[in-house]
Amino acid sequence: MFKKTLIAVSLAATTLASTSALALEKVDLLIKNATVLTMNEDRTVFEQGLVAVKGNKIVAVTNGKDVEDYQAKRTIDADGDIVMPGLINTHTHVSMTVFRSLADDVPDRLHRYIFPLEKKLVSRNMVRIGAQLGNVEMVKGGVTTYADMYYFEDEVAKTVDKIGMRAILGESVIKFPVADAANAEEGIQYALNFIEEYKDHPRITPAFAPHAPYTNTTEILQKITKLSLEHDVPVMIHLAESDRENEVIAERSGGKSPVAYMADIGALTPNLIGAHVINVDDSDIALLKKHDVGVAHNMSANIKSAKGVAPVIKMQEQGIRVGLGTDGPMSGNTLSTIDEFNQVAKVHKLVNHDRAAMPPLNVIEMATIGAARALHMEDTIGSLENGKLADIIVIDTKAPNMVPVYNPYSALVYSAYATNVKHTIVDGKVLMENRNMLTIDETAIRKEALEFADKVRKTVVESGEVVQ
Amino acid sequence: MFKKTLIAVSLAATTLASTSALALEKVDLLIKNATVLTMNEDRTVFEQGLVAVKGNKIVAVTNGKDVEDYQAKRTIDADGDIVMPGLINTHTHVSMTVFRSLADDVPDRLHRYIFPLEKKLVSRNMVRIGAQLGNVEMVKGGVTTYADMYYFEDEVAKTVDKIGMRAILGESVIKFPVADAANAEEGIQYALNFIEEYKDHPRITPAFAPHAPYTNTTEILQKITKLSLEHDVPVMIHLAESDRENEVIAERSGGKSPVAYMADIGALTPNLIGAHVINVDDSDIALLKKHDVGVAHNMSANIKSAKGVAPVIKMQEQGIRVGLGTDGPMSGNTLSTIDEFNQVAKVHKLVNHDRAAMPPLNVIEMATIGAARALHMEDTIGSLENGKLADIIVIDTKAPNMVPVYNPYSALVYSAYATNVKHTIVDGKVLMENRNMLTIDETAIRKEALEFADKVRKTVVESGEVVQ
């Protein structure tokens, strides 16, 4: 169904050194002359390093002194550029790209605007078109793995499969009628079918995505928890996000917080990934730690809606699994976590009144190995180490905003744009080279998205039924 | 000394319509099929509009129905892209690009790190190299006018002149010895010579830049005020920025705030542009309004140093002249105000607990006509209107992060990258076309900057005298 082979390579093999060819290690891809941010446990940085890839795995990450020991089918000379693990976006709704820049600052937007909009316009076709556009945007912004929550996730999966990305795709479950299910039970069945279909896919992890505690019943949340443990799949949920959620859950549970309620009903497990997790106190954080829950920190989206800043520094101090997420493009509004680096570093300093808070390394951790931990995927992705999957990005350090680089973490966090990503490699395969998409037709995808946007304009904006 | 003529054009003239050629209006540049954000008083937006330029001035901004009435030496078909006034960066220290990503989060950084660093490394050559790099970055990020405060500003002026930008350049005056003056009096003399040299330059406005109230004496501040009125030049100053400033000024003035002290000594005038202006109360804001002072809002830099968020919404309500600034690249760390749009919109929502606060239009105002007002240049720049100077940028709306555009202000604020700027035009001249710099050699400039960075590494970082 999907291609795992490397793309055809036209570059000559690495010149053989004086060493006998027989002694050379044959690899598929060699990236050399790189400032390698390994993000391994020691956070090792190699200034003239190399990364060697065989098939879909990393087989060597070194200081580059052994560069002549490899015979590579393809060699990328990074020329001093930064080479780092692909970014992991721990929370989005990728298909919503087609709604981006609609009614951005409407009060009570989810209930007053987005749910009605989705009722009118979500379809299998919309999901396909939006997912294509969003996947292109992520690959071009250096995202190699993302976690998605939406409808018709089997349609998102087709795009992920085709484009060559890695993803956890969560099929939504919610208690009111939506485009692909009449109720929560039907949503669960849809998810089970999707899980069955994709459970063996090497790059796609199917999952349950109950929308939120307050938009599902206790029974449904418990059923999903049980099924997720049986099928060993993740559960993604919006958690401790809004005042409305606080109120509904407090009423339902006799005054409990959303996190405490979830613990009480047995829904906090290591399979759970909570998005947002803003309204939490120390006892909530302790519960998240106790149950080894992953947290998606979508700060840029959260402050846009004035919801507040999740206490992520406290969570990090407690060793909680925290990664960056963009949230969906009606909220974020872009899909590369690079767009958040700067804000995350700065806003945590602001709210903590401490310019030393949230240093650049911590942000890069939340974008790579920390995000992998949040998704419980740290054994396979999130760092450049032998045996890990070859999800790698190369960042251009020649663009004027990136000159000079005294500290690569600082340069990435305070200066980099998503468009400074030069090459994106997933599972050993180059998906973007010199900013050109290799596995899909970007122009055709944009054209479909713009056509769909015209339909959105006609049916929603111009009708005046839903305010802009 | 500088070229005002349009660059040579190779494109064919606009095809003549059936109208007689004699009836056509001859223009130098025609931008057509554009989503034109005029930023005029009515904030008119034309969906298929045009902008016509003759020499260095805009001669028509229309809905595009008259497109066949023009005969242009050069035509740019915007193909639906956004055309808007060039961005105005109201506060930076452009030459500090060569120090970017050094010691970003050191406490008390200005006094403990930056002043000592500058004592070692600021020179005429450093200012030249840094200004070149920073000017390239700004042109590529859509900035057409900027306000600078640094040393050897005559050297910055040479770059501005050569590259073709527009700038207010303020020569620093400070009470301790610096690279180009032994004391404040010498700084004033340096500034006077610079003002004399550049007072008639069509794109450069020379100015005084007393560093801050607390790093100058009352007498010096008063002398500069008097001279600025005599010479009719701007005065730029860091104002109400830091706790240290509050303390020194309170001690000097018997408990006054920096703004109240400046008012008392007669230093608040319409020639003054205050940068930061964070620590102000309602009475300070009233003083700024009374004296018609301009304010440079450098929010992204201010929150990085945990200094706080200037109460800009209050200032806007009072009609104060406020524009966006990036601050210098050791603070900001990039030089296009596009990099701040998203943060400015969101952080004001966060601190005001209101998702409707600081809507996208207000941000774009602070980047264009508001910034022009802050610099008292609103009669000549800041909007696309007949008779104004032709400072124009074209924003690519085909990049995946910009698709679709339901609301151009939202798309710019919440989605755009500095690299989405496709063409930059200053004074009627195309400085960047399809992201290629036309008036200077970008590669040579980067090379010089990287060589200088090696010197910085050797003399500062590796010596360990100043911590990284």
Side-chain angles (χ1 to χ4, degrees):
Chain A
M1 185 162 64
F2 51 89
K3 288 200 275 180
K4 276 193 283 187
T5 49
L6 281 172
I7 53 161
V9 288
S10 59
L11 295 176
T14 306
T15 311
L16 299 188
S18 56
T19 331
S20 153
L22 289 175
L24 296 180
E25 183 170 355
K26 290 184 181 177
V27 297
D28 293 310
L29 175 66
L30 182 70
I31 307 175
K32 64 179 187 179
N33 294 329
T35 301
V36 181
L37 311 187
T38 64
M39 301 310 291
N40 67 11
E41 201 169 328
D42 297 331
R43 308 295 184 245
T44 308
V45 175
F46 294 120
E47 291 196 356
Q48 294 266 322
L50 67 77
V51 181
V53 175
K54 227 183 244 190
N56 67 342
K57 287 201 175 145
I58 294 169
V59 294
V61 184
T62 80
N63 61 12
K65 290 186 177 147
D66 58 341
V67 66
E68 300 299 341
D69 297 347
Y70 299 90
Q71 182 177 30
K73 286 189 188 158
R74 177 182 194 164
T75 300
I76 293 174
D77 186 339
D79 189 24
D81 284 345
I82 293 170
V83 171
M84 62 184 288
L87 306 176
I88 299 165
N89 182 351
T90 62
H91 180 66
T92 190
H93 314 285
V94 64
S95 298
M96 295 176 81
T97 47
V98 292
F99 300 140
R100 174 161 43 203
S101 90
L102 265 182
D104 271 306
D105 300 327
V106 173
D108 193 21
R109 188 159 170 253
L110 178 64
H111 295 267
R112 212 181 121 200
Y113 195 90
I114 296 179
F115 283 154
L117 180 77
E118 289 180 329
K119 197 171 174 189
K120 281 174 195 288
L121 285 165
V122 171
S123 65
R124 180 170 286 278
N125 196 41
M126 171 262 162
V127 167
R128 177 182 64 80
I129 293 169
Q132 286 179 346
L133 176 62
N135 274 266
V136 169
E137 186 187 344
M138 282 194 272
V139 171
K140 295 193 91 168
V143 175
T144 53
T145 296
Y146 70 99
D148 197 61
M149 293 172 65
Y150 213 58
Y151 310 101
F152 298 109
E153 282 291 334
D154 49 322
E155 202 59 52
V156 181
K158 288 181 198 165
T159 290
V160 170
D161 180 39
K162 185 177 172 196
I163 203 168
M165 285 193 84
R166 197 180 306 286
I168 300 181
L169 303 179
E171 173 63 28
S172 283
V173 180
I174 195 162
K175 67 183 177 185
F176 52 75
V178 289
D180 63 356
N183 53 47
E185 284 291 351
E186 277 194 30
I188 288 176
Q189 193 52 53
Y190 198 113
L192 284 170
N193 294 344
F194 172 53
I195 289 163
E196 184 57 28
E197 187 180 353
Y198 279 91
K199 66 183 178 186
D200 297 322
H201 193 290
R203 287 181 284 100
I204 293 171
T205 305
F208 290 101
H211 173 269
Y214 75 113
T215 52
N216 280 290
T217 62
T218 300
E219 293 65 35
I220 288 292
L221 294 167
Q222 288 174 323
K223 184 171 181 181
I224 289 172
T225 303
K226 185 165 169 286
L227 287 168
S228 85
L229 295 171
E230 280 172 24
H231 292 266
D232 193 24
V233 292
V235 178
M236 298 189 285
I237 191 165
H238 297 104
L239 183 61
E241 179 186 6
S242 70
D243 292 344
R244 186 188 286 232
E245 177 189 1
N246 280 349
E247 288 159 21
V248 173
I249 295 300
E251 194 172 332
R252 185 190 294 180
S253 65
K256 291 207 161 57
S257 73
V259 169
Y261 157 77
M262 288 285 281
D264 263 19
I265 66 168
L268 293 190
T269 79
N271 287 25
L272 193 73
I273 301 155
H276 309 306
V277 195
I278 303 164
N279 301 317
V280 287
D281 62 15
D282 289 353
S283 63
D284 292 323
I285 290 174
L287 286 170
L288 296 169
K289 174 66 183 164
K290 180 181 168 194
H291 296 284
D292 206 21
V293 172
V295 172
H297 181 40
N298 309 288
M299 199 208 74
S300 185
N302 296 156
I303 64 174
K304 180 177 169 215
S305 52
K307 283 179 186 137
V309 179
V312 154
I313 293 177
K314 270 191 184 174
M315 293 182 197
Q316 289 177 321
E317 285 165 0
Q318 300 299 316
I320 286 177
R321 300 167 172 271
V322 188
L324 294 183
T326 60
D327 205 353
M330 280 192 87
S331 309
N333 297 3
T334 54
L335 295 177
S336 170
T337 54
I338 292 182
D339 309 336
E340 295 200 74
F341 287 178
N342 190 327
Q343 294 178 52
V344 168
K346 292 176 179 176
V347 172
H348 282 285
K349 294 178 203 309
L350 175 72
V351 298
N352 287 283
H353 307 286
D354 177 8
R355 79 175 295 158
M358 193 58 78
L361 177 59
N362 291 27
V363 178
I364 300 300
E365 285 173 350
M366 283 200 288
T368 56
I369 190 66
R373 290 185 71 236
L375 303 183
H376 283 273
M377 293 176 78
E378 70 269 26
D379 291 342
T380 52
I381 59 171
S383 61
L384 302 182
E385 295 183 82
N386 284 3
K388 280 210 168 176
L389 293 167
D391 293 1
I392 307 166
I393 58 174
V394 181
I395 312 280
D396 175 19
T397 59
K398 318 295 192 298
N401 60 301
M402 291 294 284
V403 176
V405 177
Y406 296 105
N407 177 326
Y409 301 116
S410 273
L412 284 168
V413 168
Y414 294 126
S415 305
Y417 304 135
T419 51
N420 293 134
V421 179
K422 195 173 174 184
H423 313 304
T424 300
I425 296 160
V426 179
D427 219 42
K429 183 171 172 176
V430 183
L431 304 191
M432 179 182 74
E433 183 180 16
N434 290 315
R435 304 219 40 80
N436 295 310
M437 297 294 302
L438 301 185
T439 51
I440 47 80
D441 179 347
E442 182 181 347
T443 306
I445 284 171
R446 179 174 64 244
K447 189 164 170 282
E448 269 200 292
L450 290 173
E451 283 166 7
F452 191 85
D454 279 340
K455 183 176 162 185
V456 174
R457 258 184 217 100
K458 286 201 183 77
T459 56
V460 180
V461 182
E462 289 174 10
S463 76
E465 288 176 69
V466 183
V467 296
Q468 182 170 22
Chain B
M1 186 161 66
F2 51 88
K3 289 199 278 181
K4 277 192 284 186
T5 49
L6 279 173
I7 53 162
V9 289
S10 60
L11 296 176
T14 306
T15 311
L16 299 187
S18 56
T19 330
S20 153
L22 289 176
L24 296 179
E25 183 169 355
K26 291 182 179 176
V27 296
D28 293 309
L29 175 66
L30 183 70
I31 307 174
K32 65 179 188 179
N33 293 330
T35 301
V36 181
L37 311 187
T38 65
M39 300 310 291
N40 67 11
E41 201 170 327
D42 297 332
R43 308 296 184 243
T44 308
V45 175
F46 294 120
E47 291 196 357
Q48 295 266 323
L50 67 78
V51 181
V53 174
K54 226 184 246 189
N56 68 342
K57 288 203 173 144
I58 294 168
V59 293
V61 183
T62 79
N63 62 12
K65 290 187 178 146
D66 57 341
V67 65
E68 301 298 342
D69 297 347
Y70 299 90
Q71 182 179 28
K73 286 188 188 159
R74 176 182 196 165
T75 300
I76 292 174
D77 185 340
D79 189 26
D81 283 344
I82 293 170
V83 171
M84 62 184 289
L87 306 176
I88 299 164
N89 182 352
T90 62
H91 180 67
T92 191
H93 315 286
V94 64
S95 297
M96 294 177 82
T97 46
V98 292
F99 301 141
R100 173 162 42 204
S101 89
L102 266 182
D104 270 307
D105 300 326
V106 173
D108 193 22
R109 187 161 172 253
L110 178 63
H111 295 267
R112 210 181 123 200
Y113 195 91
I114 297 180
F115 282 155
L117 180 78
E118 289 181 330
K119 197 172 172 188
K120 281 174 196 288
L121 285 165
V122 172
S123 65
R124 180 171 286 280
N125 196 41
M126 171 263 162
V127 166
R128 178 182 63 81
I129 292 169
Q132 285 179 348
L133 176 62
N135 274 265
V136 169
E137 185 186 345
M138 283 194 273
V139 171
K140 294 192 92 167
V143 175
T144 53
T145 296
Y146 71 100
D148 197 62
M149 292 172 66
Y150 213 58
Y151 310 102
F152 299 108
E153 282 291 335
D154 50 322
E155 203 59 51
V156 181
K158 288 180 197 165
T159 291
V160 170
D161 179 39
K162 185 177 172 196
I163 203 167
M165 285 193 83
R166 197 180 305 286
I168 299 181
L169 303 179
E171 173 63 27
S172 283
V173 179
I174 196 162
K175 67 183 177 185
F176 52 75
V178 290
D180 64 355
N183 52 48
E185 284 292 350
E186 277 194 32
I188 288 175
Q189 193 52 54
Y190 198 114
L192 284 171
N193 295 344
F194 172 54
I195 289 163
E196 183 58 27
E197 188 180 354
Y198 279 91
K199 67 182 177 188
D200 297 323
H201 194 291
R203 288 181 283 101
I204 294 171
T205 305
F208 290 101
H211 173 268
Y214 75 113
T215 53
N216 280 291
T217 62
T218 300
E219 294 65 35
I220 288 292
L221 294 167
Q222 288 174 323
K223 184 170 180 179
I224 290 171
T225 304
K226 186 166 168 284
L227 287 167
S228 86
L229 295 171
E230 280 172 23
H231 292 266
D232 194 24
V233 292
V235 178
M236 299 188 285
I237 191 165
H238 298 104
L239 184 59
E241 179 186 6
S242 70
D243 292 344
R244 186 187 286 234
E245 178 188 1
N246 280 348
E247 288 158 20
V248 173
I249 295 300
E251 195 173 331
R252 185 190 293 181
S253 65
K256 291 207 162 56
S257 72
V259 169
Y261 157 76
M262 289 284 282
D264 262 18
I265 67 168
L268 293 190
T269 79
N271 287 25
L272 193 73
I273 301 155
H276 309 306
V277 195
I278 302 164
N279 301 317
V280 287
D281 62 15
D282 288 353
S283 63
D284 292 323
I285 291 175
L287 286 170
L288 296 169
K289 173 66 183 166
K290 180 181 167 194
H291 296 284
D292 206 20
V293 172
V295 171
H297 181 39
N298 309 289
M299 199 208 74
S300 184
N302 296 156
I303 63 173
K304 180 178 168 215
S305 51
K307 284 180 186 137
V309 178
V312 155
I313 293 177
K314 270 191 185 176
M315 293 183 196
Q316 289 177 322
E317 285 166 0
Q318 300 299 315
I320 286 177
R321 299 165 173 273
V322 188
L324 294 183
T326 59
D327 206 352
M330 279 193 86
S331 309
N333 297 2
T334 53
L335 295 177
S336 170
T337 54
I338 292 181
D339 309 336
E340 296 200 73
F341 287 178
N342 190 326
Q343 294 179 50
V344 168
K346 291 175 180 177
V347 172
H348 282 286
K349 294 178 203 310
L350 175 72
V351 298
N352 287 284
H353 308 286
D354 177 8
R355 80 174 295 159
M358 194 58 79
L361 177 59
N362 290 26
V363 178
I364 300 300
E365 285 173 350
M366 283 200 289
T368 56
I369 190 66
R373 289 184 72 236
L375 303 183
H376 283 274
M377 292 175 78
E378 70 270 27
D379 291 342
T380 52
I381 59 171
S383 61
L384 302 181
E385 295 182 82
N386 283 3
K388 280 211 169 176
L389 293 167
D391 294 1
I392 306 166
I393 58 176
V394 181
I395 312 279
D396 174 20
T397 59
K398 317 296 191 299
N401 60 300
M402 292 293 285
V403 176
V405 178
Y406 295 106
N407 177 325
Y409 300 116
S410 275
L412 285 168
V413 168
Y414 295 125
S415 305
Y417 305 135
T419 51
N420 294 134
V421 178
K422 194 173 175 185
H423 312 305
T424 300
I425 297 160
V426 179
D427 220 42
K429 183 172 172 176
V430 182
L431 304 191
M432 180 183 73
E433 183 179 14
N434 290 315
R435 303 221 38 82
N436 295 309
M437 296 295 301
L438 300 185
T439 52
I440 47 82
D441 179 348
E442 182 181 347
T443 306
I445 285 171
R446 179 174 65 243
K447 190 164 170 282
E448 270 200 290
L450 290 173
E451 284 165 8
F452 190 86
D454 280 340
K455 183 177 163 185
V456 174
R457 258 185 217 98
K458 286 202 181 78
T459 57
V460 179
V461 182
E462 291 174 9
S463 76
E465 288 176 68
V466 184
V467 297
Q468 182 170 21

